[in-house]
Amino acid sequence: MADPDLPEFGSVATMTVVPSVQVHTSDPRPGAELIDAVLADLLARGFGLVSQFGVVELTSLPVPPTWSARLDAGAARLTIAADAVFYDGDLGSAAPAGWLGALRRRGLLVLLVCSDVDLARADRTSQIAAAGRRGGLVGAQISLRETSGASC
């Protein structure tokens, strides 16, 4: 879900997700580092590495053309998909104040995907920043589509 602990970007709606399953692979040579297969796949699908959380960096992330975010008519459920559903969840009361308005104004959701982060911990922002420093954070701007009848 959107992380209220990330810096307030005003007109940039961000959402941070952590895949529930981590798959790592590596080169068999000595000293080779583990590679997160999910993040590597997202990079191949048009996402970019994220190492900083500034407005310029986040709004400069790629916009993969096959990805879209859809809000249902009541703006309570968000679905993110490309060739398959990536995320489908109830926004409930978790969205910070102004998040939905920022999403609608830009028409783009900044989707951050990271590995080795526990979003339930109080220090999640520090964990996300550390993931970015170690190359474990990717992101993209996902185009928003709303079903008819959606209102603010």
Side-chain angles (χ1 to χ4, degrees):
M1 188 58 244
D3 189 342
D5 291 333
L6 286 176
E8 180 57 45
F9 299 117
S11 64
V12 180
T14 62
M15 179 175 165
T16 305
V17 298
V18 177
S20 59
V21 175
Q22 289 187 324
V23 179
H24 290 94
T25 186
S26 71
D27 188 308
R29 292 177 283 202
E33 293 184 26
L34 286 177
I35 298 169
D36 186 305
V38 173
L39 298 184
D41 183 64
L42 289 172
L43 286 169
R45 293 172 179 259
F47 281 56
L49 281 172
V50 178
S51 60
Q52 295 187 18
F53 296 114
V55 173
V56 171
E57 290 85 5
L58 294 179
T59 58
S60 297
L61 286 170
V63 181
T66 61
W67 287 75
S68 66
R70 190 186 70 221
L71 280 173
D72 70 0
R77 185 169 206 86
L78 177 69
T79 304
I80 300 171
D83 53 349
V85 173
F86 179 81
Y87 175 87
D88 185 16
D90 181 359
L91 292 178
S93 61
W99 184 86
L100 187 57
L103 175 59
R104 287 179 168 148
R105 276 190 301 279
R106 287 192 72 235
L108 294 167
L109 169 67
V110 173
L111 178 62
L112 302 174
V113 183
C114 52
S115 60
D116 297 322
V117 171
D118 182 353
L119 293 177
R121 286 183 21 192
D123 67 340
R124 67 184 161 269
T125 301
S126 299
Q127 291 181 70
I128 295 167
R133 288 190 297 275
R134 71 174 176 270
L137 179 63
V138 299
Q141 298 184 86
I142 309 299
S143 298
L144 173 68
R145 300 192 192 352
E146 290 190 69
T147 58
S148 62
S151 61
C152 288

